[in-house]
Amino acid sequence: QVQLVESGGGLVQAGGSLRLSCAASTGTLRAYIMAWFRQAPGKERQFVATISRSGSNTDYADPVKGRFTISRDNAKNTVYLQMNSLKPEDTAVYYCAADLTLFPHSSQDEYDYWGQGTQVTVSS
């Protein structure tokens, strides 16, 4: 079992960058597929990015491809989301999630553990 804590959110102007972190306060992340999801006001939570246990395989939602990068440092028990060229439509609460399975995926219902979320606001 893991407990996830996100950080790094904030207010940024369009075109700017932020790096989100997701750390395990208990447990170890190296056995888990990790992912980031986001939920904008009035909208359903949606997939953003996922990464394999080793970090060698990643996948992204189309709206963030080429702008966001997911990575992990298993020695630091942390997963990151580097967000560049931010747009107002990226405004959302960002959640990290962990799933004890073999392959990265975007099916949020299958993720077992979730963080509390961190707010990202992009002003125009």
Side-chain angles (χ1 to χ4, degrees), residues 91-121:
T91 295
V93 177
Y94 284 72
Y95 300 89
C96 68
D99 186 12
L100 192 62
T101 189
L102 290 177
F103 302 109
H105 64 88
S106 60
S107 302
Q108 60 179 298
D109 290 344
E110 297 182 18
Y111 280 86
D112 301 310
Y113 304 104
W114 292 81
Q116 83 288 350
T118 185
Q119 176 70 48
V120 171
T121 303

Side-chain angles (χ1 to χ4, degrees), residues 46-63:
Q46 59 181 200
F47 167 72
V48 175
T50 184
I51 189 167
S52 62
R53 293 182 293 183
S54 67
S56 59
N57 293 314
T58 59
D59 191 24
Y60 298 90
D62 286 343

Side-chain angles (χ1 to χ4, degrees), residues 5-121:
V5 180
E6 302 97 334
S7 61
L11 174 64
V12 63
Q13 288 188 332
S17 298
L18 282 175
R19 188 177 81 156
L20 306 183
S21 298
C22 172
S25 60
T26 61
T28 179
L29 294 183
R30 69 175 64 247
Y32 292 86
I33 301 301
M34 300 297 298
W36 288 94
F37 293 82
R38 67 185 182 185
Q39 187 168 19
K43 296 187 177 181
E44 294 184 351
R45 189 163 56 189
Q46 59 181 200
F47 167 72
V48 175
T50 184
I51 189 167
S52 62
R53 293 182 293 183
S54 67
S56 59
N57 293 314
T58 59
D59 191 24
Y60 298 90
D62 286 343
V64 308
K65 281 182 180 177
R67 300 189 298 123
F68 290 12
T69 302
I70 187 171
S71 62
R72 66 192 299 163
D73 186 337
N74 287 335
K76 294 184 178 180
N77 224 14
T78 303
V79 176
Y80 304 98
L81 185 67
Q82 177 67 45
M83 305 185 295
N84 298 329
S85 302
L86 282 161
K87 305 175 181 180
E89 52 264 43
D90 294 319
T91 295
V93 177
Y94 284 72
Y95 300 89
C96 68
D99 186 12
L100 192 62
T101 189
L102 290 177
F103 302 109
H105 64 88
S106 60
S107 302
Q108 60 179 298
D109 290 344
E110 297 182 18
Y111 280 86
D112 301 310
Y113 304 104
W114 292 81
Q116 83 288 350
T118 185
Q119 176 70 48
V120 171
T121 303

